[in-house]
Amino acid sequence: MTATNGNGQAKDFITVGAGDEARQIVIALQPEAAGNGLAHFVWLGGYRSDMTGTKAVELAALAARVGTGCVRFDYSGHGASGGAFTDGTISRWLEETLAVIDHAARALGTRRMVLVGSSMGGWIALRAVAELAKQSGLEIAGLVLIAPAPDFTSELIEPNLTDAERAALAERGQFEEPTPYGPDPNIYTLRLIEDGRDNRVLTGAIETGCPVHILQGMADPDVPYSHAVRLMEHLSGDDVVLTMIRDGDHRLSRPQDIAKILEAAEVFARAE
């Protein structure tokens, strides 16, 4: 199903999964200009973020300026999409990402794309590239990874669990943690953590088959910049650039941060 808003931007609704696992995923599909030869953008948001965030909206604005397409969507349990947040796992959100990419590739005029992933979206981007490599007809022109958090469940959460949090996971299947980004606490489920182990990427060489630009704040309180350095080491066989922003936080949403993100995305979109 497709509807169009007053700006000519299509809102698509696709169903992913079957039976009890079916959930409606909402997509903002921004068409490209006639004759466009640039790769389109696919925005992959972070944990508990949605496609109306500053960076996602700025990426769509860049696409409009240069005449290419842009795809934004909400994972299940996020934003406008259906499904319960506590049912979410990396595998589940990856399945939705691949379905959205396929849907958008058929709807837009180009099958070349730049994946722009923020935080958890960086992990999903890396997993998506591995899955897309098994398909033909789709080309990833580049990855822009913003404060990427690959393997965050096993690398950043599990080692730091308190006794109370471990008990909550065992007894209730989840625990809550305050967050400075909103009034509601973050929820981490046992299902998410166990599934995260099956989706780890920092276990060997990561072959993306495309150039990668990582942007990382050195003042990030959530994902330490050492995590980005470690990711870069696993990407050693690829064309990788790591930009460290000394005073940057996790969101990297200041105008000067967004300018760096958009510059990286545009370079990849224009590359032949």
Side-chain angles (χ1 to χ4, degrees):
M1 176 181 175
T2 304
T4 304
N5 64 19
N7 297 320
Q9 188 175 85
K11 281 290 184 72
D12 283 14
F13 306 82
I14 65 171
T15 299
V16 179
D20 292 341
E21 291 296 311
R23 58 272 188 202
Q24 187 181 76
I25 304 302
V26 177
I27 310 167
L29 190 61
Q30 184 170 308
E32 57 199 20
N36 170 64
L38 307 184
H40 65 261
F41 300 124
V42 179
W43 172 257
L44 302 174
Y47 195 72
R48 288 190 64 194
S49 68
D50 60 48
M51 62 178 163
T52 65
T54 302
K55 294 188 293 293
V57 171
E58 290 287 349
L59 184 68
L62 169 64
R65 289 196 298 273
V66 301
T68 194
C70 185
V71 184
R72 294 177 290 143
F73 72 100
D74 289 331
Y75 308 118
S76 60
H78 291 68
S81 289
F85 177 78
T86 50
D87 288 337
T89 62
I90 300 302
S91 293
R92 186 178 174 92
W93 294 326
L94 174 62
E95 179 187 19
E96 295 159 6
T97 297
L98 295 173
V100 168
I101 287 173
D102 178 71
H103 176 82
R106 287 183 282 107
L108 297 174
T110 174
R111 296 176 70 81
R112 293 178 61 246
M113 68 198 76
V114 177
L115 303 185
V116 184
S118 177
S119 192
M120 182 186 76
W123 185 3
I124 291 178
L126 292 167
R127 287 289 295 111
V129 166
E131 295 300 317
L132 291 169
K134 304 171 186 177
Q135 304 179 25
S136 61
L138 294 176
E139 180 185 348
I140 307 300
L143 299 182
V144 178
L145 307 179
I146 308 159
D151 301 5
F152 77 87
T153 51
S154 57
E155 297 290 331
L156 303 178
I157 293 180
E158 285 194 82
N160 298 308
L161 289 172
T162 66
D163 290 342
E165 289 167 345
R166 293 183 188 278
L169 284 172
E171 295 167 7
R172 300 190 289 112
Q174 66 182 53
F175 74 92
E176 295 78 36
E177 179 182 79
T179 172
Y181 305 120
D184 299 323
N186 279 333
I187 299 174
Y188 298 105
T189 66
L190 182 61
R191 181 178 180 181
L192 172 70
I193 291 172
E194 290 179 340
D195 178 79
R197 297 173 193 146
D198 296 330
N199 282 281
R200 289 178 295 174
V201 296
L202 299 177
T203 56
I206 303 174
E207 301 292 341
T208 64
C210 67
V212 181
H213 194 146
I214 302 168
L215 298 103
Q216 175 67 48
M218 294 184 72
D220 187 335
D222 301 308
V223 179
Y225 67 83
S226 59
H227 200 69
V229 174
R230 184 179 173 197
L231 171 59
M232 189 169 187
E233 292 169 349
H234 284 271
L235 290 163
S236 58
D238 295 312
D239 178 8
V240 186
V241 173
L242 171 59
T243 298
M244 288 287 193
I245 302 172
R246 183 174 294 278
D247 59 347
D249 60 10
H250 185 61
R251 287 188 167 183
L252 293 181
S253 291
R254 302 171 303 176
Q256 62 267 38
D257 302 329
I258 290 174
K260 291 182 174 69
I261 293 166
L262 298 185
E263 180 182 8
E266 184 174 355
V267 165
F268 287 159
R270 292 187 181 279
E272 295 295 333

